[in-house]
Structure formats: structure tokens, C-alpha cells
Amino acid sequence: MPSTLTENVRKTVLENGLTVLTKEVHTAPVVTVQVWYKVGSRNEEPGVNGIAHQLEHMMFKGTKNRPIQFGRLFSALGSDSNAFTSYDQTAYYGTVERNKLKALLVLEADRMQNSQIEPEQLASEKRVVISELQGYENSPEYRLNRAVMQAVFPNHAYGLPVGGTKADVEKFEVEQVQKYYRNFYTPDNAVLVIVGDFQTANTLETIKEVFGKLPKRQEAGGRGQGAGGRRQEAGGISPSLNTQHSALSTQHSTLNTQHSARAKRPANANSTPIVLREPGAGTLLQVVYPLPDANQPDVPALDVMDYILTEGRNSRLYQALVESGLASEVTASVTSLRESGWYEVLVTVGAKQDLKKIDSVLSRAIANVAEKGVTSEEVERAKTQLTADVILSNRDITSQAMRLGTDETTVGDYSYTDRYLAAVRLVKPTDVVAVINKYLTKEARTVGFFEPTQKLITEVGDKPDSAQTTENFSPGAPVLPSEVGKYLPPVDLARDALFAVKDIAQVLPQEFKFTNGLRILLLPDHSTPTVTLSGHIQAGTEFDPDEQAGIAAFVAENLLSGTDSKDVFTIAKILAERGASLDFEAYREGVRIEGDSLAEDLPILLEILADVVKNSSFPAKELELHRQQTLTDLQLELDEPSEVARRIFVQSIYPKKHPLHTFPTEESLEKIQRQDVIDFKAKHYRPDTTVLALVGDFDLDKVRSLIKNEFGDWEVSGQAATLKYPTVAMPEKIVSVNPVLPDKAQAVTYMGYTGINRYDPRFHSALVLNQILGGDTLSSRLGAEVRDRQGLSYGIYSSFQAGKNSGTFLIEMQTSPEDSSKAIASTRQILQQIHQQGVTALEVETAKRTLISNYNVSLANPEELTDRILINEVYGLDKLELHSFTDKIQKVTLEQVNQAARELLHPDQIVVVTAGPSVLAEKSIR
């Protein structure tokens, strides 16, 4: 374990007040650049709620010096860039190969001072933000949280939604946003964080050259000194749980925000629940307790308390609510911000359960902990988990910089996490009881109930109809790639292709195959005292029989439910005591295994993995509990436009009896019996269809020997099951399907058809083509036109999903219901344009640079590196593929990309599925 997370960090403050944090990490030739502004929704009030988030979107629109979408510049640099707004801060981050460090600094300095906020651009980006907010409004959990948070913080901006409200966003004027920008986007209100492979002295000189001339602005004042959330969950880099709001990403956690229109609650009665009776699926209970700010000494004990209450199968609230069958899920989080904090518990309630009863059980369980106390064993386990989570979630440089930026802007101390972990180690059982008694009182809490009013959807089905697009729309001319080159800061682009490949460890993983057929790939990496494990078993949902759809996932998700020698609680306890994680997830082509541990605990992780894949016993009680949870999850999924659109899209492309057509239904899940689960496991879980990849701090020979001891006696019987994927014809014309989900605010559209598999000779050309078409929501043709110029979609992406046996080409977008028709027509026009006219040489070169740079950056992340090693082996690719992939991209020519466009883009033979509110049906999207 490292002595501190902030070793080698240097803090410098420039004369203009810019705080600079630098940390050299020389494990890979990449660097991350992040600018954190001390402003967020905390600096807002009703009427201008969401202006910080709106400004974050506008910061990508270009500057006086560079009047071009900044996403295009970041993409041309191959930067993995994004941004988010939180309660107390707004942050912009990019991770690139190290020779592009100065280019990123130049771009960030330019938009710190020179961003253009123009009326036309603001109007289109307001539409994008409203589309984004409508996506959140689709979630009952989001709407309930808005109501509860407004009640908890009636007179503080923490009670406002981070992203704003549609009513406020619609009213924003250019002058308001410009004033906000002038007030808060100043060097003395910002923190620049750089982590990665650079030399500190040289880089500080560059920073002074690039940022030093930017002036302070006096009007920033005290209001600019906000901060961001602190606690970081395992495996994520969110500054505080449930608080991020991003300009670019399409995947978001629920945001804490307000929703008062239908919430009825007496002003003086905390004990009376807020009740939302609205359309939706799933019955929800949310309880929020106010907590102190991040600097208060009770925070470490509160986090330990949270782990004891809700982390894992042995946690107190899981035992009381989920194991008892009352709820399908219980989650919780401590949020610690600059001016306050809160503890939030969310319970997804099982079918036919009474919310008042659940609330009573929850309160009693917490009171019971306060009365009887917690054990030293529970406290030590929670402390170990918490510490391991922090270490495991800070292995890549982007996450390390996020930690520094969060801590510096939250409490003004980048070493906060070190002090915090030291305080966690000192927490005693009496401290946990003390914070429960102090903060988790019945008087302090605010309770919210979500009670769905509509009949739950139990299956998805909609008869496709065929029609031509009737919307008459002509997209504007694509942004010329030469424009990008004109505004790009100087970089030695000629060296890009070779730069990182030459430097990223050319060491290839060692491959071993045991006599039973098990394959393992090992790559030692001593940069952090951790190990990442990734695995694949050929037992995916492609093997689901129609009448028992869901059985592959049933098996995978119940492997940890008990073995011949250990019950579910023993397994959970062994892993938790070491802060290790192990998960199994079934997808189409296999079961994905993911595991993490500190290096010293790898033997335990491997021992549990071997035990559950060889000896899982599937206790009847656990299977039944899982069935009820899965049925609840299914109801929630079928209330999500994205899931409904995805299902119908796939089933509209792949006919019945095709391995990809089948999805679980309530009926199919009810039919799965214990013996079916045992038989499926016996048939499909075999060493000769299993691959394990490990990257981390270990000795090669010791780990090989360890794996042989654990898995060597895993026996093979008979031949492995195989599947023949039938050939699927393209649709003859446009197929349009519009399932209606009442009262949803946002629509989700999937467009596409069958595509190429991984072995298609056009695979690398298709990747380049896709990068140009829709690989990035800001810099691609689709993004530039549909999202950026017209403001029709919050996010639009395309992808060639190339599997072993099949492939799918798809485009996904989220839109306001009234914009769906225009966005679909625009998308088809762009497909037509590229299909007929092709793309330019400059676009191809830019896309190749982006793909190569993104790939090299990804190899610096241990989880992505392990996954890449694994998937190459699963697909039977040469082990040199790890490093030759970039060469193959580099060799793609303009002619090959344009040929792929002619052969793979079919705008008039496409399935279009839009799921959303009934306005769509009335408008009859075609």
C-alpha cells in the first residue's frame, strides 16, 4: 500500500492566483490535464438554476481565437476529454499522449479567458440541455430525489437540481451567461491539475508562459470560492456520488435535485413522507439525513457507518430489507460538500410491499444498530473495504488527478484524502454508534415515497411498419477538417503514431495453457500494489432457450450465492475483509468476470474464483430471492425508453430463433427451476472455454503456480457447446417502430441493421469510418450537425459492434419528443451523404490519429489494458495485436474508408426504433 496518495505532488500558485497541482507518474507516456473552477450549482438561486451547467456546455463552443467546436480540437489531439458540473465545482479534463501536454494547456487557457457566448449558439445549446434534463426526468428515482432534496434544503442551493430546470434554462439570456463566465472563470478561482509522464520544472515554465498572462478579475469575489463533493466510490471517479452533470457524456448517475409540482408535504412535519404518485415502474423509498460539511471530524466515522449499513450481503440494511424479501435493492451514500452534506438511503421495494412497512423496518434496523452497537469485526471490515476502494479507484492517472482536484476545491487541501484515510484507521465501534445517534435520528430525516400509478409493462412488443422518411431536411455542409488543423495548437503530429506505441511497455503478456484447456495471460505491472483480473467463460445469453430466456444471467449472477463448502455470507465476508471485489455478468457471447484486489490478497481472490466456478451449489432460497429481484429489475428496465428501444431494435433486426433475438420476460424468468440452473452451469462452465487475464503487482511464476493449484483439477467432460448463427438479410426498406411509454419527457432512438463481425477484413476501415460518422458526440459528422449545429440531441453516437459470430451497426440518440423526426431525417441525410460522396483524406487522417491516441491512452489504465488482453485472446487474435492494432489503423487508406462507406452504410435499408411519450405516435415518425 502506498504511504500516501499524494506522494510527489507539488503545489504552485502563480502571481495571478492560479493554483497548480503537479504529480509525475512515469508508468506510461500519457498525461492528464484538468481545470477545476470553484463554481457550481451552489452559486445559484431559483430563477437562474442550471446556469453553471449551461455555461459548461457553452465552453465547448469556441473562442475568439478559435471559433470552432472545441470537441473537434480535442478529438484531433486524440484527447479523452469531457467535463462535468457539480454542486460546488465545474471541471474540464483531458488525457493525452505526453507530447500533446502543451497543446491541451493552450486550449484550456484560451477558453478560460476568450470563450464566445453568442445568441445563436446559446439557443441551440439550451435545446441540448433541455433534452438532457428530459432524460433525467424519465427516471422516477430522479423525480423523487428532486422532491426530497428540496425539502431537506429549502433555503440552500443544495436543494436545487445541479443541471437546472427546463423553466429556468429556457429563460437564460446571453448577458446572464456571459456575466457568470466573467465572474467565475478566472485564474484565481481555478485549480489546474496535471498528472502523468512529464518533467515538473519544464512543465511549470510552460504553465507560466501559457496561463501566467491571464488577468485576475476582481469581481470574482467570495462567491467563487466553492468546492466539489468528496467521497469517491470504488471503480468510479465521480467527485461525489449522485452529483455529476456532464456536457458530453450520455451515461449519468441520478442527480440530487428538486421537484415540487406534485409533491405534497406539510411544511412543519418531517415525519410525514413526501409522496409522488406518478406513472413509472418500481416502488421507491428514499430517506435523507442532513450531515456536516467535508471538513468536520465526524465524516470518516460516517463513511465507516455507511459501509456497515449497506455495503455487501452482510451489511445490516441488506440483511433487514433484501435478504428478508421486502426489497430488491438498497443503496446509500455519504455526500460531503463544502457547506453541508447528507446521507441518502434508497430502497427499491419488492412487488406488493407496503412502503410504510418498509420505512418502519428501515428505521427499526438503524435504531437497532444504535442500541446494540456494532462489532469490532464489522468496523475493521468496513475500514479495510473503504481504504481498498480508495486505492483501487486511483490507479489510473485521470482518477488520481480527479482526487487531487476534488480535494483541493472542496476543502482547500489536495492531501485531504491522506488525512481522511488516516482518520478512518482510527474509527472505533463507539464512534460509529455516536454518529448514528447524532445524525440518523427520526427527527432529522426527510422521507420520500414513489408510488407508480400505471399498470406495469410486463413485456415489450410492437409490430413494425414500413415507411419512407417524410421530413424534408437538408443538413449543412460538414465542417472542413482543414479548419481543425488551422486552430490546433502546434504538436509534432508526425510522431503521434509511433510516440506512445514505442514507449508503452512493449512487454507482452505471458500465455499459459493447462492440460484441461484453461488459458491464462499474465502481465506483471509493479506501478501500484494492486491486481486487476478479467475473465471470460463461453456461457453467455446466446445459449438462452426461448422459454427460459434469462437463465445464463441467472447462473452467472448466482455463482457467489454459495458453494459446497461456503455459504453466500461466508464468501461475501472473505472478500469484504480484504476490500476485494469479484463480479460475474452474462452478455451475448459469454460471461464476463471482473475482479480487483490489493496485491497481497490475490491468493484469496483466486481461491474464491476457483471455488465458485467449480463448486457453486445454487441454494434454493438464494435463487428465489434472486428471481424476485430480477423480476423487479425487469419492470424497471421496461419503463426505460432506452431499454425498450434497444430490445425492439434488436428483435426487429434478428428474427425469432436467432441467438440474439431472445430477451428475458416475466414468463421466461418464472419458468427457470433450480435443476435448470445446475444443468446449464454443468454444460457451459468449462475450463476449455475459460480465459483469465491478470495485470498487476505479482510474481509471474508464483501466480502461475497459484492458478494451477486452484484450477488444475477443474475437469472437462464431452465437447463444448457450439452455436451456428444464421445469416440475416438486410431490411428491404426503412422499418419504423414507435413503442409508446406514457409520460416520459425524453425519447430515445436506435437506428441500424446487421453489421460486420470482428474478423471482417473491413474491420479497421470501419472503425475509421465510424469515428468520422459518429464516434464522438461533438467532433463527428453526426455530432457536429445533429447535436452541435441544430441542438436536436444531447448525445448521438454510432458504432460497429463487431462480435465473434455477428455484428450490428447502430446509431443511438436522445431527443426531445418534438425533435425526434427532424433528428432522424438529419441522420439519414448524413448517412446518404457519406455513402454517396465519401469522406475526405484529412478526415481520415484526423480519425486515425484520434483512434491511435485514444488506444494508447487506454493502455495506461490497468482495467482497460486487462480487458484488451483478454478480448484479444477470446477472439483468437495474435497476441501481438496488443501493440499492432495501432499499425493496422495507421495503414487504413482513404480508398478503403470510402469503400467501407459504400458497402456498410445503407440509409434506405434501416430499422428505426423510437421509444418515448405518446406525442411520437401522434406525430407518426417515419
Side-chain angles (χ1 to χ4, degrees):
M1 193 177 295
S3 55
T4 71
L5 289 169
T6 53
E7 251 174 346
N8 308 324
V9 175
R10 178 167 168 182
K11 180 174 180 176
T12 309
V13 181
L14 304 190
E15 286 183 15
N16 61 6
L18 178 69
T19 298
V20 182
L21 301 177
T22 53
K23 179 182 181 181
E24 292 185 27
V25 179
H26 298 290
T27 52
V30 295
V31 63
T32 188
V33 173
Q34 305 184 358
V35 180
W36 295 66
Y37 294 96
K38 301 173 190 175
V39 59
S41 62
R42 181 179 67 84
N43 305 85
E44 297 171 358
E45 56 194 25
V48 290
N49 180 208
I51 197 166
H53 174 232
Q54 183 70 61
L55 176 56
E56 176 218 319
H57 278 241
M58 297 307 296
M59 288 289 282
F60 286 86
K61 288 293 189 178
T63 65
K64 293 169 193 157
N65 305 326
R66 294 180 175 84
I68 184 174
Q69 163 58 253
F70 263 45
R72 296 183 71 83
L73 299 176
F74 293 134
S75 181
L77 285 172
S79 174
D80 182 8
S81 295
N82 210 323
F84 64 81
T85 306
S86 189
Y87 290 97
D88 293 334
Q89 81 252 93
T90 308
Y92 302 82
Y93 56 98
T95 304
V96 290
E97 295 155 316
R98 67 184 176 202
N99 63 332
K100 298 166 184 172
L101 168 58
K102 184 174 180 179
L104 274 191
L105 292 173
V106 168
L107 291 176
E108 291 298 352
D110 189 17
R111 65 176 174 174
M112 181 181 282
Q113 185 177 28
N114 302 314
S115 281
Q116 292 195 110
I117 298 163
E118 305 289 351
E120 187 181 340
Q121 292 181 324
L122 179 61
S124 89
E125 204 62 25
K126 279 161 64 171
R127 290 178 78 173
V128 170
V129 168
I130 288 167
S131 168
E132 178 183 356
L133 297 179
Q134 288 172 326
Y136 302 128
E137 286 287 345
N138 279 354
S139 162
E141 181 184 327
Y142 174 88
R143 303 199 301 270
L144 178 63
N145 189 257
R146 284 180 57 167
V148 174
M149 288 300 290
Q150 185 192 29
V152 176
F153 294 103
N155 302 308
H156 193 288
Y158 288 159
L160 299 173
V162 172
T165 62
K166 182 181 177 185
D168 281 3
V169 170
E170 285 175 332
K171 290 184 292 197
F172 291 153
E173 299 289 341
V174 168
E175 295 74 22
Q176 283 178 297
V177 182
Q178 287 173 338
K179 184 181 177 187
Y180 216 78
Y181 172 63
R182 288 194 303 271
N183 282 351
F184 293 112
Y185 279 56
T186 64
D188 48 323
N189 194 44
V191 177
L192 171 65
V193 186
I194 304 176
V195 176
D197 192 16
F198 62 92
Q199 299 301 319
T200 303
N202 298 345
T203 300
L204 284 174
E205 287 305 311
T206 303
I207 291 167
K208 286 171 188 169
E209 173 198 331
V210 172
F211 282 91
K213 57 183 178 286
L214 302 186
K216 285 184 180 183
R217 290 196 183 95
Q218 296 307 310
E219 60 264 41
R223 274 173 60 82
Q225 305 307 306
R230 183 203 54 76
R231 171 162 171 192
Q232 183 160 331
E233 298 300 299
I237 54 174
S238 168
S240 80
L241 199 67
N242 300 345
T243 63
Q244 276 199 91
H245 216 88
S246 164
L248 301 177
S249 173
T250 57
Q251 303 286 324
H252 295 282
S253 51
T254 304
L255 306 185
N256 292 324
T257 94
Q258 73 178 37
H259 185 76
S260 59
R262 292 174 292 279
K264 303 295 179 188
R265 181 175 188 275
N268 58 353
N270 258 40
S271 58
T272 306
I274 295 164
V275 181
L276 294 188
R277 292 188 180 91
E278 298 177 356
T283 306
L284 303 171
L285 164 68
Q286 186 164 55
V287 183
V288 175
Y289 302 86
L291 294 181
D293 64 77
N295 258 324
Q296 296 305 308
D298 286 335
V299 169
L302 285 162
D303 279 343
V304 172
M305 170 207 78
D306 173 37
Y307 272 66
I308 291 170
L309 290 181
T310 64
E311 185 66 28
R313 296 290 294 257
N314 290 292
S315 63
R316 297 296 190 95
L317 297 185
Y318 190 96
Q319 288 282 313
L321 293 165
V322 182
E323 285 295 333
S324 64
L326 293 172
S328 68
E329 187 179 25
V330 56
T331 58
S333 62
V334 174
T335 297
S336 305
L337 302 180
R338 185 178 181 85
E339 294 180 0
S340 187
W342 57 88
Y343 186 52
E344 174 188 335
V345 182
L346 180 71
V347 183
T348 306
V349 177
K352 304 184 180 71
Q353 295 292 346
D354 178 57
L355 279 168
K356 288 182 180 172
K357 178 186 175 185
I358 302 283
D359 186 30
S360 173
V361 172
L362 173 67
S363 298
R364 200 160 59 243
I366 292 172
N368 193 42
V369 178
E371 288 165 20
K372 298 183 179 175
V374 294
T375 65
S376 295
E377 182 188 13
E378 281 179 302
V379 171
E380 291 308 310
R381 186 164 66 228
K383 285 156 63 171
T384 301
Q385 285 178 292
L386 209 162
T387 304
D389 279 354
V390 171
I391 293 167
L392 289 166
S393 62
N394 280 280
R395 289 177 294 176
D396 63 281
I397 60 168
T398 305
S399 302
Q400 290 175 43
M402 284 276 179
R403 172 69 65 181
L404 295 172
T406 300
D407 287 351
E408 181 68 21
T409 54
T410 305
V411 295
D413 179 9
Y414 68 82
S415 65
Y416 173 83
T417 297
D418 287 334
R419 291 191 287 110
Y420 163 80
L421 288 177
V424 165
R425 287 194 282 274
L426 300 176
V427 172
K428 303 186 294 295
T430 50
D431 299 327
V432 174
V433 173
V435 293
I436 292 176
N437 283 322
K438 185 174 179 181
Y439 300 107
L440 269 56
T441 64
K442 254 194 154 166
E443 304 75 50
R445 71 194 199 124
T446 302
V447 181
F449 290 174
F450 182 85
E451 298 176 349
T453 56
Q454 71 190 44
K455 182 178 180 295
L456 295 174
I457 301 167
T458 54
E459 61 181 86
V460 170
D462 201 306
K463 190 169 184 292
D465 63 283
S466 300
Q468 290 295 318
T469 302
T470 53
E471 180 78 32
N472 183 18
F473 173 76
S474 176
V479 176
L480 293 172
S482 55
E483 290 289 286
V484 178
K486 188 164 76 176
Y487 296 119
L488 209 57
V491 170
D492 186 359
L493 293 175
R495 293 169 60 214
D496 280 2
L498 300 173
F499 193 82
V501 177
K502 186 180 66 188
D503 257 325
I504 283 179
Q506 281 289 342
V507 184
L508 292 166
Q510 294 287 309
E511 184 175 347
F512 304 99
K513 186 172 181 179
F514 298 142
T515 52
N516 59 6
L518 174 69
R519 288 165 288 162
I520 59 170
L521 297 114
L522 305 176
L523 182 60
D525 170 13
H526 305 293
S527 58
T528 65
T530 63
V531 177
T532 303
L533 180 151
S534 196
H536 172 97
I537 303 173
Q538 196 176 308
T541 61
E542 62 186 4
F543 290 113
D544 276 1
D546 285 348
E547 68 281 2
Q548 290 183 325
I551 192 169
F554 236 71
V555 174
E557 289 160 14
N558 278 285
L559 289 171
L560 292 163
S561 293
T563 66
D564 298 340
S565 60
K566 301 178 190 72
D567 67 14
V568 61
F569 304 113
T570 304
I571 293 170
K573 184 176 168 190
I574 289 170
L575 290 170
E577 282 173 348
R578 287 156 181 84
S581 70
L582 182 62
D583 293 296
F584 299 86
E585 182 188 3
Y587 66 108
R588 285 298 182 192
E589 294 186 341
V591 170
R592 187 177 290 113
I593 306 168
E594 291 183 346
D596 283 308
S597 76
L598 299 177
E600 62 189 5
D601 297 319
L602 178 59
I604 302 295
L605 185 66
L606 289 171
E607 181 189 320
I608 294 293
L609 172 61
D611 192 22
V612 299
V613 297
K614 292 190 298 185
N615 308 312
S616 48
S617 56
F618 303 110
K621 182 191 170 207
E622 295 300 328
L623 283 181
E624 199 47 49
L625 190 63
H626 179 76
R627 188 197 314 275
Q628 296 313 312
Q629 292 170 338
T630 305
L631 287 168
T632 301
D633 290 345
L634 178 64
Q635 291 172 344
L636 296 173
E637 282 178 10
L638 297 185
D639 186 52
E640 287 285 329
S642 58
E643 178 62 22
V644 172
R646 185 180 73 89
R647 279 187 172 222
I648 293 181
F649 172 73
V650 170
Q651 292 187 328
S652 298
I653 293 174
Y654 298 104
K656 286 184 178 177
K657 304 300 178 189
H658 191 283
L660 299 185
H661 182 88
T662 308
F663 282 89
T665 64
E666 190 175 314
E667 186 182 16
S668 72
L669 293 170
E670 292 284 12
K671 282 185 180 172
I672 297 170
Q673 302 301 310
R674 178 170 180 263
Q675 191 58 48
D676 301 322
V677 172
I678 292 168
D679 292 345
F680 187 97
K681 159 77 167 40
K683 181 177 180 181
H684 295 290
Y685 282 66
R686 309 161 50 93
D688 56 342
T689 64
T690 300
V691 183
L692 300 177
L694 286 86
V695 172
D697 188 12
F698 53 74
D699 176 271
L700 203 68
D701 293 332
K702 284 182 182 172
V703 171
R704 180 189 175 190
S705 172
L706 203 58
I707 292 174
K708 191 170 185 180
N709 287 341
E710 295 293 350
F711 293 90
D713 61 350
W714 191 9
E715 295 178 355
V716 180
S717 66
Q719 292 296 310
T722 56
L723 277 173
K724 182 150 177 62
Y725 274 60
T727 304
V728 178
M730 291 283 296
E732 293 179 8
K733 50 191 172 181
I734 298 169
V735 178
S736 181
V737 193
N738 306 124
V740 173
L741 279 80
D743 297 290
K744 293 299 179 187
Q746 186 193 57
V748 176
T749 298
Y750 275 74
M751 306 171 65
Y753 37 75
T754 55
I756 57 173
N757 67 24
R758 178 60 181 86
Y759 310 108
D760 192 293
R762 298 167 293 185
F763 174 72
H764 296 92
S765 304
L767 289 183
V768 176
L769 170 64
N770 184 72
Q771 183 63 31
I772 296 166
L773 171 66
D776 182 289
T777 201
L778 290 182
S779 66
S780 64
R781 289 266 193 109
L782 288 173
E785 180 61 34
V786 180
R787 184 208 194 275
D788 201 46
R789 190 177 78 81
Q790 298 185 72
L792 297 176
S793 173
Y794 168 50
I796 180 166
Y797 299 93
S798 65
S799 63
F800 285 93
Q801 299 185 343
K804 282 179 80 172
N805 297 302
S806 68
T808 306
F809 170 70
L810 67 88
I811 296 168
E812 179 189 1
M813 67 178 108
Q814 307 102 34
T815 58
S816 295
E818 59 273 17
D819 288 336
S820 295
S821 181
K822 193 172 183 182
I824 290 166
S826 302
T827 299
R828 283 195 55 244
Q829 290 276 358
I830 290 163
L831 286 174
Q832 193 82 46
Q833 202 175 58
I834 297 178
H835 171 73
Q836 291 176 345
Q837 301 166 24
V839 298
T840 68
L842 206 48
E843 281 181 304
V844 169
E845 289 310 307
T846 303
K848 282 157 59 171
R849 277 206 308 272
T850 302
L851 290 168
I852 289 167
S853 186
N854 285 344
Y855 181 82
N856 290 331
V857 167
S858 77
L859 294 189
N861 182 318
E863 291 185 355
E864 294 190 48
L865 173 60
T866 313
D867 285 344
R868 181 72 62 173
I869 290 168
L870 175 81
I871 212 69
N872 286 347
E873 177 65 27
V874 168
Y875 279 32
L877 304 175
D878 189 303
K879 67 177 181 178
L880 296 172
E881 178 73 17
L882 187 64
H883 297 298
S884 64
F885 172 83
T886 51
D887 295 336
K888 291 174 182 175
I889 293 292
Q890 185 58 46
K891 286 174 182 166
V892 171
T893 65
L894 172 64
E895 292 72 24
Q896 289 171 328
V897 175
N898 283 334
Q899 184 178 345
R902 289 191 296 273
E903 295 173 359
L904 301 177
L905 299 184
H906 305 286
D908 297 323
Q909 295 173 277
I910 194 166
V911 172
V912 181
V913 178
T914 301
S918 54
V919 63
L920 293 166
E922 291 157 19
K923 288 204 160 196
S924 184
I925 289 179
R926 295 181 181 278

